[in-house]
Amino acid sequence: MVSDQFSTGPSPLDPPETDPEPREECGVFGVWAPGEEVAKLTYYGLYALQHRGQEAAGISVSDGNQIVVFKDLGLVSQVFDEQVLVSLRGHVAVGHCRYSTTGSTTWENAQPTFKTTATGSGLALGHNGNLVNTAELRDKAAELGLPTNGATTDSDLLTGLLAAAAADKGIEQAAMELLPGVRGAYCLVFSDESTLYAARDPHGVRPLVLGRLERGWVVASETAALDIVGASFVREVEPGELIAIDADGLRSSRFANPEPKGCVFEYVYLARPDTTIAGRSVHATRVEIGRKLAAEAPVEADLVIPVPESGTPAAIGYAQASGIPYGSGLVKNAYVGRTFIQPSQTIRQLGIRLKLNPLRDVIRGKRLVVVDDSIVRGNTQRALVRMLREAGAVEVHVRIASPPVRWPCFYGIDFASRAELIANGLDLDGIRRSIGSDSLGYVSLEALVQASEQPRTRLCSACFDGDYPIPLPDDARIGKHLLEGLEKGVAGDAAPVVAAGYGASDALSRP
Ligand code: SF4
């Protein structure tokens, strides 16, 4: 998918004819490693996780005495430079790259979030996922009179509650008691001045893995982030597990019984292809999905082309199984849309060409199979089919490496609302006519599950079948902007005004 659907607002470069730029959820990374440059390790870890969140990035580092947080809006490479990273000294770090699934894109909502406990120690936290009992947690925070300092995220609420509970029992015990009452999807990486913690919700909706460095430990959203810092994969953080790492070693505790429901969409689109989830390679899964797609939705054609890059492995699989030659017919402008510069009207009118450029010599005169990972609203595919026809394709057959998306996700992916989902209101032929292709085929949910090699019972597939494994509250108590406008009511104190930059356990100021 190129320009899509997992967003609530257009970026400056989202042309009207396509769906908003892809921004998935969040990436978390943590490291405990005395003697290592932990800020730089975290920077590279976040770099490998950049696809999981491009709105904001942050790193907290502690030297055993004080936690310093640096965060800002933008890509990891835009937020951090050598000077900042060198200034972040210590042996414990927490990193986060954000796409907002609760709360707006503001500096206050960037992570790691930071709170101080009543005893004066600090707590920095990064969260991937989305909670479903945020309203309940908000009520609890209001009862306790906890300040929000302008933040409007479930992650900030959770940090505040954890810091409040840690006052008399310490963070580890506080987490063991608080987390069983936190519902939804959460992979948490957090630290105080000396200890790194990681926790995963009992359903293990989002991935979280543990890695080993020669002189320490790493936790990360994806195995690809372990690879980039040279950490060896140890194991997944188990659903319902809390891990603590400090000078005494690694401690593992269970705060809830595991009931695994891993997100099947991680295999389709969200995770990097070079990541392994639950022992299964994401790339191999995608190739296998393509093979099954070819069996379930065959067509006579001259060339199979992917919508780069998430459609590429499935297109390879489709070509292998169908015997139709594979080729590159579209070139992606990889970083367009990652800029904050407003485009001119002329640039905006280029539409999908801002993001994809057709290779006319390859396409002209061909019957094409175009393989994409998913259709959510359908705007992108409509523009794509039109562009391929203008480039000379004689037939365009669209094949989708996931079933129709009919339901929104409440566990960390910001799909369109149900009313905006094209498959919610139209049948297969209605969708085909809407996007203007000669034919359209989706892979079945059964085939997708088989390709992931996970038992059906251990997967969440709610966006395809509406079967939500974690019960949802009623509509009034859920939603991305639930906490917006309420923060003043919860806050007991005034928020310091900081445009960007550092936050520390005793100060919030520019360097
Ligand atoms: S609803 Fe879909 S995207 Fe959300 S966690 Fe479940 S499978 Fe993943």
Side-chain angles (χ1 to χ4, degrees):
M1 172 185 325
V2 196
S3 61
D4 99 79
Q5 302 108 349
F6 309 123
S7 168
T8 54
S11 89
L13 280 176
D14 286 327
E17 67 172 347
T18 65
D19 298 323
E21 186 67 20
R23 297 163 194 164
E24 299 84 11
E25 29 170 359
C26 294
V28 289
F29 188 91
V31 56
W32 185 93
E36 294 280 359
E37 291 182 277
V38 293
K40 286 194 175 174
L41 287 175
T42 307
Y43 173 83
Y44 279 101
L46 292 180
Y47 213 90
L49 297 172
Q50 184 72 88
H51 62 290
R52 295 183 78 89
Q54 292 120 30
E55 288 182 357
I59 296 175
S60 73
V61 172
S62 174
D63 59 4
N65 295 310
Q66 186 191 49
I67 299 173
V68 176
V69 183
F70 190 96
K71 63 182 188 179
D72 206 349
L73 304 181
L75 299 171
V76 176
S77 59
Q78 292 168 325
V79 171
F80 294 99
D81 59 23
E82 183 78 26
Q83 196 187 351
V84 169
L85 291 171
V86 166
S87 74
L88 295 171
R89 292 194 200 93
H91 68 282
V92 193
V94 170
H96 189 268
C97 50
R98 178 173 194 245
Y99 167 61
S100 51
T101 51
T102 301
S104 298
T105 307
T106 61
W107 185 88
E108 288 79 3
N109 284 345
Q111 298 186 27
T113 54
F114 179 82
K115 304 284 178 187
T116 42
T117 70
T119 57
S121 89
L123 171 63
L125 180 144
H127 170 205
N128 172 209
N130 200 53
L131 307 183
V132 298
N133 67 336
T134 302
E136 199 182 307
L137 298 177
R138 176 197 66 202
D139 296 346
K140 201 168 162 184
E143 262 172 43
L144 296 171
L146 301 180
T148 64
N149 295 340
T152 54
T153 64
D154 51 357
S155 319
D156 187 79
L157 270 180
L158 193 53
T159 316
L161 289 167
L162 192 52
D168 51 1
K169 57 188 71 146
I171 285 173
E172 203 165 331
Q173 189 54 33
M176 289 298 289
E177 291 175 19
L178 180 70
L179 293 179
V182 176
R183 292 205 313 278
Y186 55 90
C187 284
L188 306 175
V189 177
F190 51 107
S191 93
D192 56 18
E193 281 73 7
S194 57
T195 307
L196 178 71
Y197 301 92
R200 196 170 173 207
D201 70 76
H203 298 282
V205 177
R206 301 276 150 237
L208 189 64
V209 293
L210 176 68
R212 192 79 165 103
L213 289 166
E214 209 171 297
R215 292 190 283 184
W217 298 88
V218 175
V219 284
S221 293
E222 295 188 29
T223 59
L226 301 183
D227 298 336
I228 200 172
V229 298
S232 54
F233 172 77
V234 176
R235 65 176 175 84
E236 304 218 336
V237 176
E238 295 295 324
E241 182 184 17
L242 172 72
I243 281 176
I245 300 165
D246 57 22
D248 295 329
L250 184 147
R251 297 182 294 284
S252 165
S253 318
R254 287 262 177 213
F255 62 85
N257 289 327
E259 297 172 55
K261 290 287 179 187
C263 169
V264 77
F265 215 77
E266 293 277 353
Y267 290 101
V268 172
Y269 170 73
L270 303 174
R272 283 173 57 132
D274 52 344
T275 274
T276 297
I277 302 176
R280 175 67 167 151
S281 151
V282 171
H283 179 264
T285 303
R286 289 177 186 168
V287 173
E288 185 58 22
I289 291 170
R291 293 177 150 274
K292 292 184 182 300
L293 184 55
E296 291 186 339
V299 65
E300 278 189 26
D302 304 312
L303 189 68
V304 178
I305 65 167
V307 178
E309 277 129 16
S310 50
T312 301
I316 291 169
Y318 194 101
Q320 285 172 352
S322 65
I324 302 169
Y326 170 90
S328 292
L330 294 161
V331 175
K332 185 178 180 183
N333 293 323
Y335 293 101
V336 86
R338 306 282 189 266
T339 171
F340 290 108
I341 306 296
Q342 291 289 334
S344 68
Q345 188 58 19
T346 308
I347 296 287
R348 189 179 287 275
Q349 282 169 352
L350 288 173
I352 196 170
R353 284 185 178 77
L354 269 172
K355 299 176 177 177
L356 287 176
N357 213 7
L359 290 167
R360 289 174 182 76
D361 291 351
V362 174
I363 289 167
R364 195 175 299 120
K366 299 269 179 28
R367 297 172 298 167
L368 298 178
V369 178
V370 185
V371 181
D372 204 349
D373 55 78
S374 56
I375 302 181
V376 179
R377 290 189 179 97
N379 294 335
T380 301
Q381 287 75 18
R382 192 175 305 114
L384 182 63
V385 169
R386 192 166 57 231
M387 183 175 75
L388 291 169
R389 291 199 196 284
E390 285 169 7
V394 292
E395 291 176 17
V396 180
H397 302 276
V398 174
R399 294 294 178 269
I400 303 298
S402 61
V405 176
R406 293 202 169 91
W407 301 84
C409 173
F410 297 98
Y411 309 140
I413 310 303
D414 207 2
F415 281 135
S417 68
R418 188 152 191 234
E420 293 170 298
L421 298 171
I422 193 169
N424 179 39
L426 296 174
D427 63 9
L428 185 70
D429 197 53
I431 300 168
R432 182 199 63 74
R433 278 187 277 118
S434 175
I435 65 173
S437 60
D438 293 283
S439 73
L440 172 65
Y442 290 90
V443 80
S444 67
L445 183 55
E446 293 68 34
L448 167 58
V449 170
Q450 280 171 14
S452 75
E453 295 186 351
Q454 307 302 312
R456 178 78 187 82
T457 53
R458 292 172 73 97
L459 289 171
C460 173
S461 50
C463 48
F464 304 123
D465 60 14
D467 184 8
Y468 291 97
I470 308 171
L472 304 173
D474 63 43
D475 288 354
R477 291 177 71 81
I478 199 162
K480 176 170 179 175
H481 299 289
L482 182 71
L483 302 177
E484 234 93 90
L486 293 172
E487 70 274 19
K488 289 189 182 69
V490 177
D493 61 358
V497 178
V498 182
Y502 290 94
S505 50
D506 60 353
L508 281 167
S509 60
R510 296 283 298 172

